[in-house]
């Protein structure tokens, strides 16, 4: 049986959310295994992917060239959880997996 994209995203979110919730603000400048990203930049990259993949599910324009600082805005942990829930819902919508 083939899994729906929304099911795969939901499983990925279930693993990512505890990690994101566990990041302390004091860790945002820490290095990551990827030399191009510190923790803050990696979080911003994850936010960018999550938000743009919502747009792709709805057949809307996505902009991966922007570099907003999602982490600077309020409770970014809760926002990441909300955005990942929107991502799962977007790909669970009827027709989201149809076409190219």
């Amino acid at each position: 049986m083939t899994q729906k994209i929304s099911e795969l995203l939901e499983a990925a979110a279930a693993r990512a959310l505890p990690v994101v919730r566990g990041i302390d603000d004091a860790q945002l400048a820490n290095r990551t295994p990827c030399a191009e990203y510190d923790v803050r930049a990696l979080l911003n990259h994850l936010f960018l992917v999550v938000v743009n993949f919502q747009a792709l599910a709805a057949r809307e324009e996505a902009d991966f060239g922007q570099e907003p600082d999602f982490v600077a805005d309020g409770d970014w942990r809760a926002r990441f959880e909300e955005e990942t829930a929107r991502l799962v819902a977007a790909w669970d919508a009827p027709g989201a997996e149809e076409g190219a």
Side-chain angles (χ1 to χ4, degrees), residues 20-39:
V20 170
R21 282 188 213 113
I23 298 170
D24 186 84
D25 286 345
Q27 296 173 303
L28 292 174
N30 289 1
R31 294 175 35 191
T32 67
C34 181
E36 296 178 28
Y37 295 104
D38 62 9
V39 172

Side-chain angles (χ1 to χ4, degrees), residues 30-87:
N30 289 1
R31 294 175 35 191
T32 67
C34 181
E36 296 178 28
Y37 295 104
D38 62 9
V39 172
R40 175 186 218 102
L42 184 57
L43 285 167
N44 281 316
H45 178 73
L46 288 174
F47 264 107
L48 184 65
V49 169
V50 166
V51 169
N52 277 301
F53 273 51
Q54 290 172 33
L56 293 174
R59 308 285 195 282
E60 296 172 355
E61 191 80 20
D63 182 4
F64 289 96
Q66 62 180 329
E67 292 188 29
D69 191 358
F70 293 99
V71 178
D73 296 331
D75 188 355
W76 53 267
R77 291 167 197 84
R79 181 165 179 215
F80 186 79
E81 188 166 353
E82 292 164 5
E83 294 294 351
T84 55
R86 285 186 188 108
L87 175 63

Side-chain angles (χ1 to χ4, degrees), residues 1-5 7-8 97:
M1 180 174 158
T2 304
Q3 284 188 293
K4 293 176 57 176
I5 292 172
E7 294 169 338
L8 297 170
E97 292 190 42

